[in-house]
Amino acid sequence: MSVPSSAVGTAQIGTAQIGVTGLAVMGRNLARNFARNGFTVAVHNRTFARTQSLVAEHGADGTFVPSESMADFVASLERPRKVVVMVQAGAPTDAVIDELVPLLEEGDIVVDAGNAHFPDTIRREAALRAKGLHFVGTGVSGGEEGALNGPSIMPGGTAESYASLGPILERISAKVDGVPCCTHVGPDGAGHFVKMVHNGIEYADMQLIAEAYDLLRSGLGASAPEIGEVFAAWNTGDLESFLIEVTAEVLAHTDAATGRPFVDVVADAAEQKGTGRWTVQNALDLGVPITGIAEATFARALSGSAPQRAAARGVLPADTLAWNIPDAGAFIEDVRLALYASKVVAYSQGFDQIAAASAQFGWDIDRGAMARIWRGGCIIRAKFLDRITQAYERDAHLPLLLADPYFTAAVANGVAAWRRIVSAAAAHGVPTPAFSSSLAYYDGVRAERLPANLIQAQRDFFGAHTYRRTDREGTFHTDWSGDRSEQTW
């Protein structure tokens, strides 16, 4: 395939302001986004035909400098070189970095814009820093459309690297009220960590929406298009978000082959690429309860547990009540309120996880800034992220998002409906793991006293794990196998 000379620029050496290697859908669209925003873009792919295809098909987007070899690709970049790596996470990313590094010079910047696991980013950043290079683990959210038209961008790395790279990333990012949805997140793995938590919140958000759909379908016997109309109405209020909008469109869609609602011909087995699991695993390491995200992740696993579901279907007794809803409008409003309250819990838990990791790794992440850059471009963009930004502007060290006056009042407005919906779901046999666990978390975090006192007493009984008392300071152990006297440890 020939490459139009008008698209590749006249001088090849040191002319490109940024380069992209890895031209699958996301890399291809990011390269086009850079070009559309006036940057000269070096492009490279392991298979040169894909590079040629990009330039031939989209040369009108701007100025591309294509290269067949990695050496020519690096040579085409101006100093300090800025290379965006867009290949599969894991070993493929390491392979590209290993090929790149010998060709780079001190001060050059390598950007991993894939969905890398943040410990890998910490490792890579340290290794490249030792060679005098900057490594910037960067979360990019918005899918292929966002990559092309303006994603939410979460770069980590050094402040020095952001001073050089940041203006480029900010220009291609989504904008809300003229503000770029891109900011420096923090050192080494901070950017990829925040993207991981973003994806975890996305899991919870999607599961909550799915549970709301299931409740409306089960309780009202409504069709997919009818429920789509409900979601479309919700998207004009407090629940306004990309995911609610998408849901309304999906539910309204008709399958061309069968004439049935599209969702009715889609298999009920949700897949995942691993970021939800990473989020839950890390929360366990940090000791942060992210129950909504965890249940959403497990719900996907359950949906794919075909042998177990086949064994249970028609065998396990239900003993459920029959639905009898006298006021459909009131039921729909209860589901809406329960969805909003559960959604707030998911975000609150996610921001708690960011705060815990920031403290552990010394990242100093501004949670308000994270809410601000998630307002546009990304999958979880939503109207109420403005409210989260404002909450952290009021108190940057807010210990619990739910305790912010706005969110306390907003959730209080829906608590009764939330309880009615979770109770009705249990009574009628509709699984609502995310709704239910979110309500349990809410009740747990607001409780004056939890039954953990009994658990700690049990632990001391069988393992001498000690306990603290409510009436005096210190750590204690009871001699359970002896005279049961109390000892100070």
Side-chain angles (χ1 to χ4, degrees), residues 195-210:
K195 176 55 163 57
M196 178 191 76
V197 174
H198 163 284
N199 285 21
I201 294 172
E202 179 184 310
Y203 275 48
D205 213 340
M206 293 173 72
Q207 176 65 26
L208 289 166
I209 289 170

PDB file of all heavy atoms in Angstrom, residues 195-210:
ATOM      1  N   LYS A 195      -6.476   4.709  37.284  1.00  0.00           N
ATOM      2  CA  LYS A 195      -7.242   4.120  36.180  1.00  0.00           C
ATOM      3  C   LYS A 195      -7.830   2.767  36.603  1.00  0.00           C
ATOM      4  O   LYS A 195      -8.965   2.429  36.236  1.00  0.00           O
ATOM      5  CB  LYS A 195      -6.353   3.952  34.951  1.00  0.00           C
ATOM      6  CG  LYS A 195      -7.012   3.244  33.759  1.00  0.00           C
ATOM      7  CD  LYS A 195      -8.306   3.918  33.319  1.00  0.00           C
ATOM      8  CE  LYS A 195      -8.759   3.496  31.925  1.00  0.00           C
ATOM      9  NZ  LYS A 195      -8.949   2.070  31.737  1.00  0.00           N
ATOM     10  N   MET A 196      -7.082   1.982  37.361  1.00  0.00           N
ATOM     11  CA  MET A 196      -7.580   0.701  37.839  1.00  0.00           C
ATOM     12  C   MET A 196      -8.816   0.897  38.715  1.00  0.00           C
ATOM     13  O   MET A 196      -9.836   0.207  38.535  1.00  0.00           O
ATOM     14  CB  MET A 196      -6.485  -0.019  38.631  1.00  0.00           C
ATOM     15  CG  MET A 196      -6.892  -1.355  39.226  1.00  0.00           C
ATOM     16  SD  MET A 196      -5.662  -1.989  40.399  1.00  0.00           S
ATOM     17  CE  MET A 196      -5.985  -0.940  41.833  1.00  0.00           C
ATOM     18  N   VAL A 197      -8.754   1.856  39.638  1.00  0.00           N
ATOM     19  CA  VAL A 197      -9.904   2.109  40.508  1.00  0.00           C
ATOM     20  C   VAL A 197     -11.068   2.661  39.692  1.00  0.00           C
ATOM     21  O   VAL A 197     -12.225   2.304  39.941  1.00  0.00           O
ATOM     22  CB  VAL A 197      -9.517   3.063  41.657  1.00  0.00           C
ATOM     23  CG1 VAL A 197     -10.752   3.443  42.479  1.00  0.00           C
ATOM     24  CG2 VAL A 197      -8.473   2.416  42.556  1.00  0.00           C
ATOM     25  N   HIS A 198     -10.769   3.509  38.730  1.00  0.00           N
ATOM     26  CA  HIS A 198     -11.817   3.981  37.810  1.00  0.00           C
ATOM     27  C   HIS A 198     -12.551   2.796  37.207  1.00  0.00           C
ATOM     28  O   HIS A 198     -13.784   2.763  37.164  1.00  0.00           O
ATOM     29  CB  HIS A 198     -11.179   4.839  36.708  1.00  0.00           C
ATOM     30  CG  HIS A 198     -12.050   5.057  35.499  1.00  0.00           C
ATOM     31  ND1 HIS A 198     -12.258   4.072  34.543  1.00  0.00           N
ATOM     32  CD2 HIS A 198     -12.764   6.128  35.083  1.00  0.00           C
ATOM     33  CE1 HIS A 198     -13.056   4.529  33.613  1.00  0.00           C
ATOM     34  NE2 HIS A 198     -13.384   5.767  33.903  1.00  0.00           N
ATOM     35  N   ASN A 199     -11.808   1.797  36.735  1.00  0.00           N
ATOM     36  CA  ASN A 199     -12.430   0.629  36.121  1.00  0.00           C
ATOM     37  C   ASN A 199     -13.215  -0.182  37.141  1.00  0.00           C
ATOM     38  O   ASN A 199     -14.261  -0.757  36.820  1.00  0.00           O
ATOM     39  CB  ASN A 199     -11.374  -0.240  35.443  1.00  0.00           C
ATOM     40  CG  ASN A 199     -10.886   0.358  34.139  1.00  0.00           C
ATOM     41  OD1 ASN A 199     -11.020   1.551  33.895  1.00  0.00           O
ATOM     42  ND2 ASN A 199     -10.299  -0.462  33.289  1.00  0.00           N
ATOM     43  N   GLY A 200     -12.723  -0.244  38.376  1.00  0.00           N
ATOM     44  CA  GLY A 200     -13.467  -0.932  39.420  1.00  0.00           C
ATOM     45  C   GLY A 200     -14.802  -0.259  39.686  1.00  0.00           C
ATOM     46  O   GLY A 200     -15.837  -0.925  39.817  1.00  0.00           O
ATOM     47  N   ILE A 201     -14.793   1.067  39.767  1.00  0.00           N
ATOM     48  CA  ILE A 201     -16.049   1.812  39.935  1.00  0.00           C
ATOM     49  C   ILE A 201     -16.966   1.562  38.742  1.00  0.00           C
ATOM     50  O   ILE A 201     -18.184   1.419  38.897  1.00  0.00           O
ATOM     51  CB  ILE A 201     -15.757   3.310  40.111  1.00  0.00           C
ATOM     52  CG1 ILE A 201     -15.014   3.564  41.428  1.00  0.00           C
ATOM     53  CG2 ILE A 201     -17.053   4.124  40.078  1.00  0.00           C
ATOM     54  CD1 ILE A 201     -14.507   4.984  41.590  1.00  0.00           C
ATOM     55  N   GLU A 202     -16.382   1.490  37.572  1.00  0.00           N
ATOM     56  CA  GLU A 202     -17.155   1.188  36.355  1.00  0.00           C
ATOM     57  C   GLU A 202     -17.861  -0.160  36.478  1.00  0.00           C
ATOM     58  O   GLU A 202     -19.028  -0.292  36.107  1.00  0.00           O
ATOM     59  CB  GLU A 202     -16.201   1.189  35.163  1.00  0.00           C
ATOM     60  CG  GLU A 202     -16.808   0.882  33.821  1.00  0.00           C
ATOM     61  CD  GLU A 202     -15.730   0.809  32.737  1.00  0.00           C
ATOM     62  OE1 GLU A 202     -14.905   1.735  32.654  1.00  0.00           O
ATOM     63  OE2 GLU A 202     -15.708  -0.198  31.996  1.00  0.00           O
ATOM     64  N   TYR A 203     -17.163  -1.167  37.024  1.00  0.00           N
ATOM     65  CA  TYR A 203     -17.781  -2.483  37.242  1.00  0.00           C
ATOM     66  C   TYR A 203     -19.004  -2.342  38.137  1.00  0.00           C
ATOM     67  O   TYR A 203     -20.066  -2.905  37.860  1.00  0.00           O
ATOM     68  CB  TYR A 203     -16.791  -3.443  37.909  1.00  0.00           C
ATOM     69  CG  TYR A 203     -15.849  -4.175  37.005  1.00  0.00           C
ATOM     70  CD1 TYR A 203     -15.127  -3.530  36.012  1.00  0.00           C
ATOM     71  CD2 TYR A 203     -15.651  -5.544  37.164  1.00  0.00           C
ATOM     72  CE1 TYR A 203     -14.246  -4.221  35.206  1.00  0.00           C
ATOM     73  CE2 TYR A 203     -14.762  -6.246  36.362  1.00  0.00           C
ATOM     74  CZ  TYR A 203     -14.060  -5.576  35.380  1.00  0.00           C
ATOM     75  OH  TYR A 203     -13.189  -6.268  34.579  1.00  0.00           O
ATOM     76  N   ALA A 204     -18.836  -1.597  39.259  1.00  0.00           N
ATOM     77  CA  ALA A 204     -19.939  -1.436  40.202  1.00  0.00           C
ATOM     78  C   ALA A 204     -21.102  -0.690  39.558  1.00  0.00           C
ATOM     79  O   ALA A 204     -22.267  -1.076  39.698  1.00  0.00           O
ATOM     80  CB  ALA A 204     -19.461  -0.695  41.447  1.00  0.00           C
ATOM     81  N   ASP A 205     -20.789   0.377  38.842  1.00  0.00           N
ATOM     82  CA  ASP A 205     -21.815   1.182  38.189  1.00  0.00           C
ATOM     83  C   ASP A 205     -22.629   0.330  37.212  1.00  0.00           C
ATOM     84  O   ASP A 205     -23.873   0.370  37.186  1.00  0.00           O
ATOM     85  CB  ASP A 205     -21.136   2.340  37.449  1.00  0.00           C
ATOM     86  CG  ASP A 205     -21.974   3.601  37.422  1.00  0.00           C
ATOM     87  OD1 ASP A 205     -23.196   3.503  37.630  1.00  0.00           O
ATOM     88  OD2 ASP A 205     -21.414   4.681  37.188  1.00  0.00           O
ATOM     89  N   MET A 206     -21.944  -0.463  36.405  1.00  0.00           N
ATOM     90  CA  MET A 206     -22.633  -1.302  35.419  1.00  0.00           C
ATOM     91  C   MET A 206     -23.483  -2.373  36.087  1.00  0.00           C
ATOM     92  O   MET A 206     -24.611  -2.656  35.656  1.00  0.00           O
ATOM     93  CB  MET A 206     -21.604  -1.939  34.481  1.00  0.00           C
ATOM     94  CG  MET A 206     -20.890  -0.925  33.599  1.00  0.00           C
ATOM     95  SD  MET A 206     -19.535  -1.642  32.646  1.00  0.00           S
ATOM     96  CE  MET A 206     -20.469  -2.594  31.434  1.00  0.00           C
ATOM     97  N   GLN A 207     -22.969  -2.967  37.161  1.00  0.00           N
ATOM     98  CA  GLN A 207     -23.735  -3.997  37.867  1.00  0.00           C
ATOM     99  C   GLN A 207     -24.986  -3.397  38.507  1.00  0.00           C
ATOM    100  O   GLN A 207     -26.074  -3.987  38.458  1.00  0.00           O
ATOM    101  CB  GLN A 207     -22.866  -4.666  38.935  1.00  0.00           C
ATOM    102  CG  GLN A 207     -23.596  -5.699  39.798  1.00  0.00           C
ATOM    103  CD  GLN A 207     -24.080  -6.913  39.025  1.00  0.00           C
ATOM    104  OE1 GLN A 207     -23.508  -7.256  37.988  1.00  0.00           O
ATOM    105  NE2 GLN A 207     -25.114  -7.585  39.509  1.00  0.00           N
ATOM    106  N   LEU A 208     -24.853  -2.219  39.101  1.00  0.00           N
ATOM    107  CA  LEU A 208     -26.015  -1.561  39.711  1.00  0.00           C
ATOM    108  C   LEU A 208     -27.085  -1.254  38.672  1.00  0.00           C
ATOM    109  O   LEU A 208     -28.283  -1.445  38.913  1.00  0.00           O
ATOM    110  CB  LEU A 208     -25.567  -0.272  40.415  1.00  0.00           C
ATOM    111  CG  LEU A 208     -24.747  -0.465  41.697  1.00  0.00           C
ATOM    112  CD1 LEU A 208     -24.082   0.839  42.105  1.00  0.00           C
ATOM    113  CD2 LEU A 208     -25.622  -1.004  42.825  1.00  0.00           C
ATOM    114  N   ILE A 209     -26.650  -0.785  37.516  1.00  0.00           N
ATOM    115  CA  ILE A 209     -27.601  -0.502  36.439  1.00  0.00           C
ATOM    116  C   ILE A 209     -28.296  -1.788  35.993  1.00  0.00           C
ATOM    117  O   ILE A 209     -29.508  -1.817  35.761  1.00  0.00           O
ATOM    118  CB  ILE A 209     -26.880   0.182  35.264  1.00  0.00           C
ATOM    119  CG1 ILE A 209     -26.481   1.612  35.653  1.00  0.00           C
ATOM    120  CG2 ILE A 209     -27.748   0.179  34.007  1.00  0.00           C
ATOM    121  CD1 ILE A 209     -25.573   2.294  34.662  1.00  0.00           C
ATOM    122  N   ALA A 210     -27.514  -2.870  35.890  1.00  0.00           N
ATOM    123  CA  ALA A 210     -28.082  -4.156  35.481  1.00  0.00           C
ATOM    124  C   ALA A 210     -29.097  -4.649  36.514  1.00  0.00           C
ATOM    125  O   ALA A 210     -30.146  -5.210  36.156  1.00  0.00           O
ATOM    126  CB  ALA A 210     -26.970  -5.184  35.287  1.00  0.00           C
TER     127      ALA A 210
END
